[in-house]
Amino acid sequence: MAKQQRVVIVGGGVIGLLTAFNLAAEVGQVTLVDQSAVGQESSWAGGGIVSPLYPWRYNPAVTALAHWSQDFYPQLAGRLFASTGIDPEVHTTGLYWLDLEDEAQALAWAKREGRPLRTVEIAAVNEAVPVLGAGYSRAIYMADVANVRNPRLVKSLKAALQAMPNVTIHEQCEVLGFIREGENICGVNTVQGEMRGDEVVLAAGAWSGELLNSLGLELPVVPVKGQMILYKCEPDFLSCMVLAKGRYAIPRRDGHVLIGSTLEHEGFDKTPTPTALESLKASAIELVPALADAQPAGHWAGLRPGSPEGIPYIGRVAGFGGLWLNCGHYRNGLVLAPASCQLFADLLLGRRPIIDPVPYAPQGRIQGMA
């Protein structure tokens, strides 16, 4: 690709921001457009565990991206902190899974994949995590699992992009549709006018399917609502991430503890509900009984870009010159972002890809609508 190429990226979540970050040094101009403020949807709302919640339950295509990203995150965070002064806070605490039904599968997966997952006596867990609730009998543990403070990651990426002379960010700028000339997509129409580019990248998370509909394409990416709550505790209150019955507690470095998360199919409704609040509080108290005396300091909802098997769409859209996808990461956008965006840049720039791109290719996975 020529150095003077112009790339338009639709969507300013972590996927869109990191796509822009990876391309900026390689192309002439990057224009990033978001309908609200960057990173305010799924990227802001998630927990930031740098691992799929149950990695052994996923398709190998998801695992391949996750492994690459997990190893790369500390390096990415260090680079962003050095250039912006905003620390994304990659916090390596390890993760305990408690009373798993498929523990044998998890251990078999770890052995096959060479991941450091092992069984731990419950007494050792209670010693390592003194605030953990009673009543758990089995545990497995992975020591190198980190969490990233996703709102800080978003701020850091935005600051890094704003410092680049060939990057323009348009916030509060809704995309109305694509500019099409013959077989080619040459840009997007927005509420602020036309924005043209040689390549257009759709990285609009849960909204990606809606936008592709306008081209007669059916992309099976749908919004899946997730609600979370936040507690403010002492910095050393919870030493490690813990996960049981599909719910988790995540400690930040400063003592904030996140509890999540619900999975709800409610369309684009992001309203936090009293029902979810009570359910999350109950999970919090079951995991960490000391939280019974605390009031949540925050409660919010975000919309994940749900996709079949959680396998993202990364690559060129056949039949539409200049149109690319990097979307549909479902519950693992933060986990998969570094690998997804590196793979995407490799494909767009014609470089040798970091991993086999075939499982993520849109071709054969999206349909023309009748």
Side-chain angles (χ1 to χ4, degrees), residues 97-109:
W97 287 266
L98 304 166
D99 291 357
L100 276 174
E101 288 172 15
D102 56 352
E103 188 177 301
Q105 287 95 307
L107 293 166
W109 167 86

Side-chain angles (χ1 to χ4, degrees), residues 197-324:
D198 304 295
E199 315 288 339
V200 176
V201 186
L202 185 56
W207 286 264
S208 300
E210 305 267 297
L211 284 165
L212 269 194
N213 277 353
S214 67
L215 295 174
L217 294 172
E218 197 163 355
L219 177 76
V221 172
V222 296
V224 182
K225 181 173 168 180
Q227 299 188 51
M228 299 188 68
I229 57 176
L230 178 75
Y231 292 92
K232 179 70 177 90
C233 307
E234 291 303 311
D236 55 356
F237 171 74
L238 180 64
S239 58
C240 187
M241 294 182 282
V242 289
L243 197 161
K245 298 182 185 171
R247 295 276 169 91
Y248 50 76
I250 304 171
R252 299 294 196 222
R253 279 190 205 151
D254 66 358
H256 279 105
V257 175
L258 292 108
I259 306 290
S261 138
T262 64
L263 280 174
E264 306 163 66
H265 291 267
E266 302 282 345
F268 286 94
D269 173 22
K270 283 200 311 182
T271 318
T273 61
T275 315
L277 177 62
E278 291 313 309
S279 169
L280 289 163
K281 279 163 78 171
S283 292
I285 293 162
E286 194 174 338
L287 280 166
V288 183
L291 293 176
D293 304 324
Q295 276 307 310
H299 172 211
W300 62 85
L303 299 174
R304 309 177 186 86
S307 57
E309 289 192 87
I311 302 170
Y313 298 84
I314 305 170
R316 190 188 289 279
V317 180
F320 294 87
L323 182 61
W324 299 76

Side-chain angles (χ1 to χ4, degrees), residues 86-171:
I86 302 166
D87 186 358
E89 291 190 19
V90 172
H91 185 30
T92 305
T93 63
L95 173 58
Y96 288 101
W97 287 266
L98 304 166
D99 291 357
L100 276 174
E101 288 172 15
D102 56 352
E103 188 177 301
Q105 287 95 307
L107 293 166
W109 167 86
K111 190 174 181 184
R112 198 168 61 242
E113 296 286 336
R115 301 311 277 183
L117 184 69
R118 57 186 174 85
T119 53
V120 184
E121 292 293 327
I122 204 70
V125 184
N126 290 324
E127 196 174 316
V129 190
V131 294
L132 186 68
Y136 298 107
S137 57
R138 296 188 330 280
I140 59 174
Y141 177 63
M142 203 187 291
D144 60 356
V145 184
N147 66 74
V148 62
R149 195 159 181 175
N150 32 311
R152 298 274 172 96
L153 176 65
V154 165
K155 277 184 188 164
S156 186
L157 280 167
K158 182 181 176 180
L161 292 173
Q162 285 173 324
M164 294 173 174
N166 63 332
V167 177
T168 312
I169 298 174
H170 296 274
E171 297 181 294

Side-chain angles (χ1 to χ4, degrees), residues 44-81:
W44 183 89
I49 302 177
V50 186
S51 168
L53 289 185
Y54 301 98
W56 54 89
R57 295 178 189 172
Y58 279 94
N59 185 292
V62 175
T63 305
L65 290 172
H67 283 187
W68 196 92
S69 291
Q70 281 167 316
D71 296 337
F72 187 73
Y73 247 115
Q75 181 184 329
L76 173 65
R79 190 174 152 200
L80 287 169
F81 188 20

